[in-house]
């Protein structure tokens, strides 16, 4: 065979081997590859024999291996998909070559999107994510509306109410009643008693929720009422934390309030059912048991139970409301003689989050505003970067790059930055959500469920990418719409006035958005300051509170309880450093008091209207010394004196009742009727607030605990010692009084105030942080824009200074341009301030959402930031010699 024929055949084989490589490789490197292997083929042909065979084996193996590798390599996959792949690689290279810009931008996005991720995790898990029950949309809590009788529109149900709902049929598939109460629990042999929360309910609770236990079983229908088996289901946290997650715990005996109960099951790890409250926050339980009585046999008048109903599948809320109303009319006729008692349902999820929805909505909107600020800031940075690259863009256009190519490059750069920022934001959010759970109020619904889950990851990543793409639209549109001649001229002369209007518009938008977020943050911070200054009606320092739960077995009557309380007070008073001590049936700011009706016969404030003259009030039982220990202020008369052998039938009333019924100030010595008891007003005190730290609640009456005995009391110890150092002495004193009694809920008294402010503190802290972030972003954006603009105007400014303009005039001109943009931004932000103020009406306290001082301070801060952002780059340019500036251009 001739050398020519061999060369032609080899050429065909080499081209076949080249076909193993992807098309883009053949287009870019095919010629070089063929030339390289032709040379190898000629050398192998000259050597002949074994060298020829070795060459073709190696060439074939290399082509198969490298061709497949090129086809599978991700970068090549991008390239095969067209220009997007090549542009992505180039965008990555550009970002790597500009580390300062990339790190600053990604860092800004990381912080901003991290804050957004934390807020989104709270909003999603608390407000949006449905609870893990079967068809949670069909679950409703039912409430009594007492307003036909007294001022209470959200009251508990009575036992017969729950039974009537359960047997109603129609749209209602079933109903259960429940309540949460503290119980003394002994887990295993030798374990000290501790106080935990137990949810007592009818056996069908878990079936109604559609939840199955993780271990064992739940209650059987017969396990309720007198003679029922004493069985208990443990919550997962109690089982894991106290019993070491021992599977053998099922079947074990525990003691509740001194009585033996058998553990029959353990609930799943993520089961967090909350019994909703009529006045306070929803309550969760550590364990579950059933009622020791029949709900249908309970008195129909007083309400003590939360009622949960399940609607049949497909039933509308309107049909459920109609069914509950119909049942309520029958109950009103049967038990209240048609007096107007109303019953109404509220969806479980809606009822759970009703108290926190306004604050979370505001937080969510603040997070959305922060994302908008970040978007504008990123767009501004990308636009400034495009301006700095105008010469590069001009050359690219001159060499044939079309508008779409330049626009695509800007979009890709923004998208990559957004993706990197979102990834960093998720890392920040992992720690941030844990911090949020730590500082969030304990009563925040579904608090333990706040976490960065897959849905949060998806939302944050997509938000980051979309944010980057949205920000990249501005330079992309500018690049796509710019005329080639204009780009070349601007690049050669001043570096681009073509996008000046866009830049100025971005400044205005950023100032407007920052103004809205800063004003909301300022108003919330000032509102929280007002709350901190609010007077709760007692001295919230230098005192320790705790509860001593007492079971009925050891102290069966009031006389035995009185002896125990006296013994406890004596032991506590003997602790070194204790100044005063006392016991209360309910602590301030806990919404734990009972309610009753009272009347003031012959009081000058009576109007003859029954609802007014016999108001519903809160009743608290107190021992001698309780007012001194609490730091409550006696306005008139005296507190309860030393123990008396005979009943004194004395009460103290708060100033709201005294002002209402005795406007002339003669309440002390007046007569009060409470049921069949006739009582004498011994004193008037300033109301220790039970519900809200910044405003009075309903009227209060305080009775002596000797005459209105509570089994378990909250004790208050006032001392000059640090409260933490008292706890060990308190436990020792209680053990001396009765070794079987536990001490629970020990905490400094200021914790009560802190807890009542926790929701406002959380809102104020987060939104103030967002506002500060917005201010920093605005400062960065303004500085970047003004700095780039001033630098780009260096030739113009140099000419002005060469023609006689002094540095001061140039500075004033630059400052005037920047401040005029801020003025437009402030005007543009006014509608946003109005909308934000309307949303904040349900959140702020003691201050208008449109507080003039706050708005003025925010506007002043933005003006100051802008002035500084303008002054620094302008001062730097004016410090340069005009001749040097002109020569450099």
């Amino acid at each position: 065979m001739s050398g020519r024929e061999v060369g032609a055949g080899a050429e065909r084989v080499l081209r076949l081997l080249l076909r193993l490589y992807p098309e883009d490789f053949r287009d870019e490197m095919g010629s070089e590859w063929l030339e390289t292997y032709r040379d190898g083929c000629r050398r192998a042909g000259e050597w002949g024999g074994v060298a020829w065979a070795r060459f073709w084996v190696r060439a074939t193996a290399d082509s198969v291996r490298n061709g497949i590798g090129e086809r599978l390599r991700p970068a090549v996959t991008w390239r095969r998909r067209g220009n997007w792949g090549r542009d992505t690689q180039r965008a990555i290279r550009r970002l790597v070559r500009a580390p300062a810009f990339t790190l600053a931008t990604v860092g800004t996005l990381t912080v901003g999107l991290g804050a957004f991720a934390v807020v989104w995790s709270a909003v999603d898990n608390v407000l949006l994510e449905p609870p893990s029950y079967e068809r949670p949309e069909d679950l409703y809590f039912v409430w009594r509306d007492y307003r036909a009788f007294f001022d209470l529109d959200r009251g508990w149900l009575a036992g017969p109410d729950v039974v009537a709902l359960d047997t109603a049929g129609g749209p209602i598939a079933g109903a259960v009643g429940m309540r949460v109460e503290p119980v003394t629990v002994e887990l295993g042999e030798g374990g000290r008693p501790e106080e935990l929360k137990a949810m007592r309910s009818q056996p069908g609770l878990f079936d109604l929720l559609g939840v199955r236990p993780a271990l064992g079983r739940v209650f059987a229908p017969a396990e309720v009422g007198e003679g029922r088996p004493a069985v208990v289901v443990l919550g997962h946290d109690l089982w894991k934390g106290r019993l070491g997650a021992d599977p053998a715990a099922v079947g074990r005996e525990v003691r509740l309030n001194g009585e033996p109960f058998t553990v029959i099951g353990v609930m799943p790890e993520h089961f967090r059912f909350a019994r909703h409250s009529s006045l306070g926050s929803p309550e969760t339980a550590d364990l579950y048991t059933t009622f020791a009585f029949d709900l249908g046999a309970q008195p129909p008048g007083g309400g003590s139970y939360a009622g949960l109903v399940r609607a049949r599948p497909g039933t509308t809320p309107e049909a459920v409301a109609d069914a509950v109303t119909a049942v309520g009319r029958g109950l009103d006729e049967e038990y209240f003689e048609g007096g107007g008692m109303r019953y109404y349902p509220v969806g479980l999820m809606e009822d759970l989050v009703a108290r926190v929805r306004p604050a979370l909505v505001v937080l969510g909107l603040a997070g959305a505003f922060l994302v908008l600020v970040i978007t504008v800031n990123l767009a501004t940075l990308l636009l400034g970067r495009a301006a700095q690259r105008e010469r590069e863009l001009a050359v690219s256009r001159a060499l044939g790059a079309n508008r779409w190519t330049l626009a695509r490059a800007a979009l890709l750069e923004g998208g990559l930055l957004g993706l990197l920022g979102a990834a960093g934001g998720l890392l920040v959010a992992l720690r941030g959500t844990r911090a949020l759970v730590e500082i969030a109020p304990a009563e925040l619904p579904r608090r333990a469920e706040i976490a960065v889950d897959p849905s949060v990851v998806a939302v944050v990543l997509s938000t980051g990418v979309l944010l980057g793409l949205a920000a990249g639209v501005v330079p992309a549109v500018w690049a796509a719409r710019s005329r080639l001649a204009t780009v070349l001229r601007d690049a050669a002369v001043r570096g681009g006035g073509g996008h000046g209007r866009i830049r100025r518009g971005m400044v205005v938008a950023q100032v407007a958005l920052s103004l809205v977020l800063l004003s909301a943050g300022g108003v919330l911070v000032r509102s929280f300051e007002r709350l901190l200054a609010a007077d709760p009606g007692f001295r919230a320092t230098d005192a320790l509170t705790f509860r001593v739960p007492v079971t009925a077995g050891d102290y069966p009557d009031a006389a035995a309880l009185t002896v125990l309380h006296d013994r406890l007070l004596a032991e506590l008073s003997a602790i070194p450093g204790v100044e005063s001590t006392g016991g209360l049936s309910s602590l301030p700011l806990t919404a734990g008091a009972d309610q009753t009706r009272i009347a003031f016969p012959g009081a000058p404030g009576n109007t003859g209207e029954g609802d007014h003259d016999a108001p519903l009030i809160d009743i608290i039982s107190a021992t001698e010394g309780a007012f001194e220990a609490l730091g409550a202020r006696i306005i008139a008369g005296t507190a309860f004196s030393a123990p008396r052998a005979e009943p004194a039938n004395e009460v103290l009333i708060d100033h709201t009742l005294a002002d209402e019924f005795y406007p002339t100030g003669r309440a002390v010595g007046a007569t009060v009727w409470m049921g069949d008891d006739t009582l004498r007003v011994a004193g008037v005190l300033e109301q220790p607030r039970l519900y809200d730290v910044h405003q009075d609640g309903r009227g209060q009456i305080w009775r002596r605990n000797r005459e209105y005995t509570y089994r378990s009391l909250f004790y208050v110890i006032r001392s000059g010692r640090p409260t933490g150092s008292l706890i060990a002495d308190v436990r020792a004193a209680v053990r001396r009084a009765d070794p079987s009694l536990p001490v629970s809920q020990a905490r400094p008294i200021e914790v009560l105030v802190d807890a009542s402010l926790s929701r406002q503190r959380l809102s104020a802290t987060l939104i103030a942080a967002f506002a500060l972030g917005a201010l920093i972003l605005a400062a960065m954006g303004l500085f970047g824009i003004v700095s780039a603009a001033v630098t780009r105007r260096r030739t113009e400014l140099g000419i002005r200074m060469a023609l006689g303009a002094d540095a001061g005039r140039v500075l004033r001109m630059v400052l005037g341009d920047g401040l005029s943009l801020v003025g437009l931004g402030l005007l543009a932000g006014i509608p946003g301030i109005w909308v934000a103020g309307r949303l904040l009406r349900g959140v702020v306290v003691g201050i208008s959402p449109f507080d003039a001082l706050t708005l003025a301070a925010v506007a002043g801060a933005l003006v100051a930031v802008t002035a500084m952002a303008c002054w620094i780059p302008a001062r730097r340019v004016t410090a340069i010699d005009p001749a040097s500036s002109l020569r450099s251009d």
Side-chain angles (χ1 to χ4, degrees):
M1 185 179 292
S2 67
R4 178 183 177 90
E5 291 173 334
V6 171
E11 180 75 17
R12 285 193 296 272
V13 174
L14 287 175
R15 289 189 178 276
L16 285 174
L17 291 177
L18 181 60
R19 300 290 297 178
L20 294 174
Y21 289 84
E23 182 179 357
D24 61 334
F25 180 89
R26 297 198 301 270
D27 292 342
E28 294 182 10
M29 303 180 65
S31 299
E32 292 83 353
W33 187 94
L34 281 171
E35 189 59 37
T36 299
Y37 276 89
R38 285 190 192 111
D39 290 342
C41 181
R42 282 193 292 269
R43 289 193 300 271
E46 292 173 357
W47 297 334
V50 176
W52 176 264
R54 186 183 298 126
F55 166 77
W56 285 110
V57 170
R58 187 174 65 251
T60 303
D62 288 347
S63 299
V64 171
R65 183 181 66 252
N66 295 333
I68 295 174
E70 281 289 319
R71 289 181 181 275
L72 296 178
R73 201 155 53 88
V76 178
T77 304
W78 293 354
R79 287 204 302 266
R80 284 207 309 275
R81 292 176 182 172
N83 293 330
W84 284 102
R86 284 192 294 273
D87 287 349
T88 301
Q89 288 180 308
R90 292 167 184 160
I92 293 173
R93 285 198 295 268
R94 284 196 300 271
L95 293 177
V96 171
R97 290 170 186 163
F101 166 80
T102 302
L103 290 175
T105 305
V106 172
T108 300
L109 288 170
T110 294
V111 175
L113 289 174
F116 169 75
V118 171
V119 172
W120 177 257
S121 66
V123 172
D124 180 51
N125 287 286
V126 176
L127 288 186
L128 304 180
E129 187 71 20
S132 56
Y133 313 138
E134 180 182 347
R135 302 195 324 272
E137 67 278 6
D138 291 335
L139 293 169
Y140 298 81
F141 274 91
V142 177
W143 304 101
R144 274 179 171 181
D145 185 345
Y146 285 88
R147 284 179 294 182
F149 306 94
F150 47 80
D151 186 20
L152 179 63
D153 63 351
R154 183 181 168 93
W156 299 119
L157 301 184
D161 300 343
V162 178
V163 174
L165 289 167
D166 188 38
T167 58
I172 299 177
V176 294
M178 72 204 74
R179 68 185 182 195
V180 175
E181 58 188 44
V183 294
T184 301
V185 181
E186 297 173 57
L187 298 172
E189 293 293 333
R192 283 196 57 80
E194 57 182 319
E195 188 177 55
L196 300 175
K197 286 185 177 180
M199 181 175 291
R200 298 190 186 274
S201 71
Q202 293 170 289
L205 172 63
F206 299 115
D207 292 332
L208 198 76
L209 294 174
V211 177
R212 297 293 175 261
L215 291 176
R217 65 177 180 87
V218 293
F219 307 117
E223 291 174 331
V224 68
E226 294 183 7
R228 80 195 194 289
V231 292
V232 62
V233 174
L234 303 181
H236 191 276
D237 290 344
L238 177 63
W239 171 69
K240 183 177 180 180
R242 302 290 201 282
L243 299 177
D246 182 7
V250 175
R252 181 180 299 179
E253 182 181 283
V254 299
R255 301 183 76 82
L256 306 185
N257 291 337
E259 300 294 329
F261 279 69
T262 301
V263 176
I264 61 171
V266 177
M267 296 310 296
E269 181 176 2
H270 299 294
F271 178 72
R272 295 283 190 280
F273 178 66
R275 184 230 45 184
H276 299 190
S277 174
S278 64
L279 295 173
S281 302
E283 289 185 283
T284 57
D286 302 297
L287 48 90
Y288 307 84
T289 186
T290 56
F291 291 122
F293 47 79
D294 178 12
L295 278 186
Q298 299 305 299
S304 303
Y305 312 102
L308 179 69
V309 304
R310 176 174 284 281
R312 299 190 188 281
T315 304
T316 64
E318 293 77 13
V320 175
D322 291 342
V324 171
T325 300
V327 172
R329 280 196 295 266
L331 293 169
D332 181 42
E333 291 292 337
E334 182 175 359
Y335 298 118
F336 301 97
E337 300 178 352
M341 181 71 77
R342 291 182 57 251
Y343 296 76
Y344 64 94
V346 184
L348 178 142
M349 191 64 182
E350 177 187 351
D351 202 52
L352 180 66
V353 301
R355 294 175 183 269
V356 299
R357 185 188 299 275
L360 287 177
V361 167
V362 170
L363 288 177
L365 291 174
F369 261 98
L370 186 62
V371 169
L372 285 176
V373 173
I374 296 171
T375 305
V376 175
N377 186 269
L378 181 57
T380 302
L381 292 172
L382 290 176
L383 188 60
R385 178 166 164 78
Q388 294 171 358
R389 296 176 55 227
E390 268 186 337
R391 293 182 185 273
E392 176 189 338
L393 296 176
V395 172
S396 298
R397 291 291 303 275
L399 293 177
N402 57 31
R403 296 175 177 179
W404 172 237
T405 300
L406 299 178
R408 185 171 56 215
L411 287 172
L412 279 171
E413 195 165 310
L416 286 171
L417 289 170
L419 181 61
L420 292 172
L426 287 172
L427 295 178
V428 171
L430 290 174
R431 181 66 187 91
T433 50
R434 289 195 290 268
L436 177 64
V437 171
E438 290 173 4
I439 67 173
E443 68 271 14
L444 177 67
R446 312 179 71 183
R447 174 173 173 262
E449 300 175 36
I450 298 176
V452 179
D453 55 26
S455 65
V456 174
V457 172
V459 168
V460 174
L461 287 177
S462 59
T463 299
V465 173
L466 291 175
L467 184 153
L469 292 175
V473 165
V474 176
V477 170
W478 170 78
R481 296 183 61 184
S482 297
R483 296 179 181 274
L484 179 57
T486 303
V487 172
L488 290 172
R489 183 182 67 247
D490 290 340
V493 181
R494 286 180 50 187
H499 60 288
R501 285 188 299 273
I502 299 178
R503 284 207 323 271
R504 289 190 290 272
M506 303 300 291
V507 172
V508 171
Q510 194 158 11
V511 170
L513 292 171
S514 299
L515 176 67
V516 174
L517 198 50
L518 283 167
S519 63
V523 166
L524 279 173
V525 169
R526 292 201 64 203
S527 171
F528 186 66
E529 288 177 349
R530 299 285 180 91
L531 284 175
L532 288 177
D535 183 1
F538 62 96
R539 188 151 62 97
T541 56
D542 302 324
L544 178 75
T545 73
F546 56 93
R547 188 171 185 269
V548 179
V550 181
T551 59
D554 297 328
Y555 301 94
D557 54 31
L561 285 171
T562 298
V563 172
L564 171 65
H565 293 321
D566 287 345
R567 190 161 64 243
L568 283 168
L569 288 171
E571 293 289 350
L572 294 171
S573 298
I575 295 175
V578 169
E579 300 168 2
S580 57
T581 186
L584 308 166
S585 61
S586 176
L587 289 173
L589 300 175
T590 61
D594 291 334
Q595 289 79 43
T596 189
R597 282 185 177 274
I598 61 170
F600 298 89
N606 284 334
T607 63
E609 297 180 4
D611 289 344
H612 176 274
D613 294 349
L616 184 73
I617 54 92
D618 291 319
I619 180 169
I620 303 101
S621 184
T623 67
E624 298 82 4
F627 300 101
E628 292 82 357
L630 186 61
R633 292 180 286 274
I634 306 298
I635 299 173
T638 61
F640 297 142
S641 56
R644 301 176 58 162
E646 297 296 327
N649 291 325
E650 294 176 333
V651 296
L652 271 69
I653 63 174
D654 76 321
H655 69 278
T656 63
L657 292 175
D659 293 344
E660 179 74 19
F661 290 94
Y662 301 96
T664 58
R666 298 182 179 179
V668 176
T671 298
V672 176
W673 288 348
M674 190 176 74
D676 296 331
D677 295 337
T678 300
L679 310 170
R680 185 183 69 86
V681 176
V684 177
L685 77 161
E686 188 172 332
Q687 183 182 103
R689 290 168 172 166
L690 284 174
Y691 304 99
D692 197 328
V693 72
H694 70 274
Q695 64 182 7
D696 291 331
R698 62 166 59 94
Q700 297 174 2
I701 187 170
W702 296 67
R703 289 201 66 176
R704 195 187 294 261
N705 192 63
R706 294 177 182 279
E707 301 160 8
Y708 198 73
T709 307
Y710 273 72
R711 180 169 300 280
S712 300
L713 294 178
F714 291 92
Y715 288 88
V716 181
I717 291 179
R718 186 162 297 280
S719 171
R721 292 171 53 186
T723 52
S725 69
L726 289 170
I727 295 177
D729 291 340
V730 164
R731 296 188 187 280
V734 172
R735 282 196 297 271
R736 288 194 296 271
D738 185 337
S740 67
L741 294 179
V743 174
S744 69
Q745 303 179 45
R747 52 193 171 175
I749 198 167
E750 54 261 31
V751 170
L752 301 176
V753 178
D754 291 342
S756 69
L757 297 175
S758 56
R759 203 160 52 209
Q760 292 90 342
R761 177 186 290 108
L762 179 64
S763 300
T765 301
L766 290 179
I767 294 185
F770 290 167
L772 181 60
L775 182 61
I776 294 172
L777 288 173
M780 291 174 58
L782 289 171
F783 184 85
I785 290 175
V786 174
S787 179
V790 172
T791 302
R792 289 152 56 82
R793 295 178 64 185
R794 185 169 56 182
T795 301
E796 174 197 347
L797 298 178
I799 293 173
R800 289 179 180 274
M801 294 177 67
L803 294 176
D806 58 14
R809 183 174 180 180
V810 172
L811 283 173
R812 287 192 297 273
M813 180 183 66
V814 175
L815 285 172
D817 290 345
L819 293 176
S820 65
L821 294 179
V822 173
L824 291 174
L826 295 179
L827 291 175
I830 291 175
I833 290 176
W834 183 83
V835 173
R838 301 282 295 181
L839 292 170
L840 288 173
R841 285 188 183 276
V843 179
V844 298
V845 174
I847 189 174
S848 167
F850 309 104
D851 180 64
L853 181 60
T854 302
L855 297 180
V858 167
L862 286 173
V863 170
V865 165
T866 305
M868 185 62 66
C870 295
W871 183 82
I872 292 176
R875 184 72 183 85
R876 188 170 59 240
V877 170
T878 56
I880 301 175
D881 179 65
S884 301
S885 176
L886 292 173
R887 279 197 304 271
S888 67
D889 286 328

